[in-house]
């Protein structure tokens, strides 16, 4: 369902050209659990950005669920992100002034869903992630683990086919980290493709497939 | 497959309610900057509204003053007006004087009820060693009715032939106070130039035709002719019997004078309508230009909105990146930020309107003699301009937000 072919990404830093991705090709089938690993600066976040349509490759093609998404315009790409891709970030990226409930409801709101229908979906999600009594709390009133659970609830509220997680435990203590990973793995068992970027080998080992990146290339894939 | 996508995920625009509540939340999240900006917008809007209202009040005030003259007043002035085309004859062709005889001829027109001649000039008026420069009006007894004058004490100029130069005068309230103090003035003598006049009446204070009646002395027109050594009249006021017959009366006046002036149309007849229209135009132009100046403050407020929104965009880069990651399109981000700046400017405009209302109330309380009121369209104009300002100055920040690259916006700090 994911097919990347010969992806190149070059950034201009000052007057130097930095090759973030060099001829990256990979495929993934539905329901896979992949860890993208590598030292910092190896291009693993750049790869995740390409996979999440947050960035466009300079060349190469990207097919997602049979659609050549690399050729879609900005609006169509936004639609794909909304319906097929869920993001989980290291720094949670919750909107600080909004409650947990509203943060989870954001994707539904952007898609124009009616208030009543939204209410039901978000309430179900809150309960499913053990946040039922935290609905009206703002992010600064939540623990790190709770914040990441809100972020995961938000990432899954549109029932995406793939979840992209960038260092999802990087900002959590050990116990909260394990809890978050177990939630993500539970989602993977429900046939959602899970791609985690991490430099934590222990977390990487839990994935069924590891991709090692070095200097913008896929060094190892097993 | 791309076709199937659309079937699988039907697209709806965001609900208006959601856009508003999201933007309102965002706009009010940072209190300090928001308050400053609201203040700027409020001051701008209130100054526009107040200045428009003051201008409009002044217009009404002046027009009301002239309207008290009655709608059947005609004013005859010597010299041809420019309304007939071509510049007035400044050199070469001197207009014939308008004389007392001309004025008396006008009384014979069927649709004319009263005629009063006026000669005006300023002169030194003295009682003993007290001396004041006052406006001296030479006129006739008819002036009393035509200009709706009122007397405090005594009587007005005696009726009779206007050619009789009786040595009597009617003095304004202020002039009387300055010359006689609290002593009674009726029956006393005063000196105008080198002539002596007996005071027979004191005018009630007021304003008529733009003149402060407190500072005038009214004497018989023949006496004024002798005093100023001038036979030509300054104005002839004509009251017509019927306000419907104004044009007919005007024509009759022109015809009468033309016959008397050897076929020359060398007078101008203006009606109250013409005067009112002119004043109306002048005051509207004044009000507009003052409002235009005040509108500069709206531009300043607009630039503040832009500044505040630009700061907001750079502070909320991560949030914008997140919204994009969650599937917000460029257009949606643009809409959200434009809504935010519009909400800010509308709240500011609302506060400004309230300030303006309070300001006008205060002014009305401090100056009860002026009829102050909020101009009827000023609030609509101010609100409209504020909205437009918010949108125009919101476009640049909103575009900047919409153009942010999501990967870059979400990059770790």
């Amino acid at each position: 369902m994911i097919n990347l072919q010969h992806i190149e990404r070059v950034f201009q830093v000052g007057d130097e050209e930095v090759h973030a991705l060099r001829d990256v090709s990979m495929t993934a089938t539905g329901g896979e659990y992949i860890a993208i690993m590598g030292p910092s600066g190896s291009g693993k976040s750049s790869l995740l950005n390409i996979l999440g349509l947050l960035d466009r490759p300079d060349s190469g093609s990207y097919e997602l669920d049979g659609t050549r998404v690399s050729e879609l315009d900005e609006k169509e790409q936004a639609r794909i992100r909304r319906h097929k891709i869920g993001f989980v970030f290291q720094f949670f990226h919750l909107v600080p002034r909004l409650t947990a409930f509203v943060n989870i409801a954001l994707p539904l709101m952007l898609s124009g869903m009616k208030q009543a229908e939204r209410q039901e979906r978000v309430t179900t999600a809150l309960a499913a992630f053990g946040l039922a009594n935290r609905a009206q709390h703002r992010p600064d009133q939540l623990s790190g683990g709770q914040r990441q659970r809100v972020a995961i609830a938000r990432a899954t509220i549109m029932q995406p086919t793939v979840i992209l997680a960038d260092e999802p435990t990087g900002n959590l203590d050990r116990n909260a980290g394990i809890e978050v990973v177990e939630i993500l793995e539970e989602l993977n068992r429900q046939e959602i493709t899970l791609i985690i970027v991490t430099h934590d080998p222990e977390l990487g080992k839990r994935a069924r497939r590891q991709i090692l990146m070095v200097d913008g290339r896929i060094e190892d894939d097993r | 497959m791309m076709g199937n996508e659309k079937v699988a995920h039907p697209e709806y625009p965001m609900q208006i309610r959601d856009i508003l509540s999201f933007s309102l939340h965002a706009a009010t999240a940072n209190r300090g900057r928001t308050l400053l900006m609201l203040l700027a917008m409020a001051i701008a809007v209130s100054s526009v509204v107040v200045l428009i209202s003051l201008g409009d009040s002044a217009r009404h005030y002046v027009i009301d003053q002239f309207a008290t003259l009655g709608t059947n007043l005609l004013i005859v002035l010597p010299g041809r007006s420019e309304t007939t085309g071509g510049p007035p004859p400044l050199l070469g062709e001197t207009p014939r004087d308008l004389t007392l005889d001309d004025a008396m001829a006008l009384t014979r027109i069927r649709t004319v009820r009263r005629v009063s001649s006026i000669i005006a000039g300023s002169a030194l008026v003295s009682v003993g060693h007290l001396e004041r420069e006052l406006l001296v009006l030479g006129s006739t007894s008819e002036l009393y009715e035509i200009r709706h004058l009122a007397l405090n004490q005594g009587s007005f100029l005696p009726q009779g032939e206007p050619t009789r130069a009786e040595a009597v005068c009617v003095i304004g309230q202020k002039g009387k106070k300055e010359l006689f103090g609290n002593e009674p003035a009726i029956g006393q003598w005063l000196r105008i130039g080198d002539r002596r006049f007996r005071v027979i009446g004191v005018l009630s204070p007021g304003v008529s035709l733009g003149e402060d009646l407190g500072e005038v002395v009214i004497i018989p027109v023949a006496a004024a002719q002798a005093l100023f050594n001038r036979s030509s009249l300054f104005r002839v006021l004509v009251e017509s019997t019927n306000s419907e017959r104004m044009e007919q009366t005007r024509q009759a006046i022109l015809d009468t004078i033309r016959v008397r002036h050897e076929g020359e149309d060398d007078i101008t007849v203006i009606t109250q309508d013409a005067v009112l229209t002119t004043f109306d135009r002048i005051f509207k132009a004044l009000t507009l230009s003052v409002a235009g100046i005040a509108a500069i403050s709206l531009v300043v407020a607009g630039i503040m909105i832009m500044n505040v929104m630009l700061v907001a965009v750079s502070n909320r880069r991560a949030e914008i990146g997140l919204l994009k990651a969650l599937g917000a399109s460029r257009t949606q981000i643009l809409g959200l930020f434009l809504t935010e700046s519009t909400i800010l400017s509308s709240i500011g405009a609302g506060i400004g309107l309230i300030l303006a209302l309070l300001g006008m109330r205060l002014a009305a309380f401090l100056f009860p003699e002026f009829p102050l009121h909020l101009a009827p369209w000023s609030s609509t104009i101010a609100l409209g301009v504020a909205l437009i300002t918010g949108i125009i100055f919101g476009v640049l920040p909103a575009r900047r937000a919409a153009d942010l690259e999501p990967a870059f916006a979400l990059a770790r700090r």
Side-chain angles (χ1 to χ4, degrees), chain B residues 33-50:
Chain B
R33 68 171 175 97
T34 306
L35 279 181
L36 275 180
M37 199 241 87
L38 289 183
L39 190 66
M41 186 45 99
I43 290 174
V45 166
S46 65
S47 56
V48 170
V49 173
V50 165

Side-chain angles (χ1 to χ4, degrees), chain A residues 45 49 53-55 65-67 72 74-76 78-85 87 89-98 103 106-107 109-115 118 154 166-167 197 199, chain B residues 1-2 5-6 9-15 17-19 21-22 25-27 29 316 318-319 321-332 336 340 402 405-413:
Chain A
S45 286
N49 284 338
L53 294 172
L54 295 178
D55 196 14
D65 275 354
T67 308
L72 296 178
E74 185 272 337
K75 201 172 174 177
E76 288 290 322
R79 251 169 43 78
I80 301 282
R81 284 200 297 271
R82 177 185 301 168
H83 294 290
K84 297 203 175 244
I85 305 168
F87 292 92
F89 304 96
Q90 179 179 359
F91 293 102
F92 322 126
H93 283 308
L94 301 178
V95 180
R97 60 176 181 278
L98 303 177
N103 265 293
L106 275 178
M109 189 183 97
L110 289 169
S111 72
M113 183 184 283
K114 293 216 172 57
Q115 197 105 25
R118 219 156 70 195
R154 180 180 64 192
D166 191 357
E167 303 278 11
V197 161
H199 58 254
Chain B
M1 197 65 195
M2 268 179 70
E5 291 297 316
K6 282 179 182 149
H9 305 296
E11 281 298 287
Y12 301 104
M14 268 180 86
Q15 309 247 320
R17 204 171 120 188
D18 288 335
I19 296 177
S21 94
F22 184 88
H25 241 98
R316 277 156 48 196
E319 176 188 326
L322 170 81
L323 289 176
K324 286 199 163 185
L326 297 182
S329 64
R330 206 183 158 278
T331 327
Q332 280 182 316
L336 284 173
E340 192 174 327
E405 287 296 332
F408 171 69
L410 283 166
R412 291 168 204 177
R413 288 149 282 188

Side-chain angles (χ1 to χ4, degrees), chain B residues 3 40 65 125 170 368 379:
Chain B
Q65 286 293 311
V125 181
V170 176
S379 39

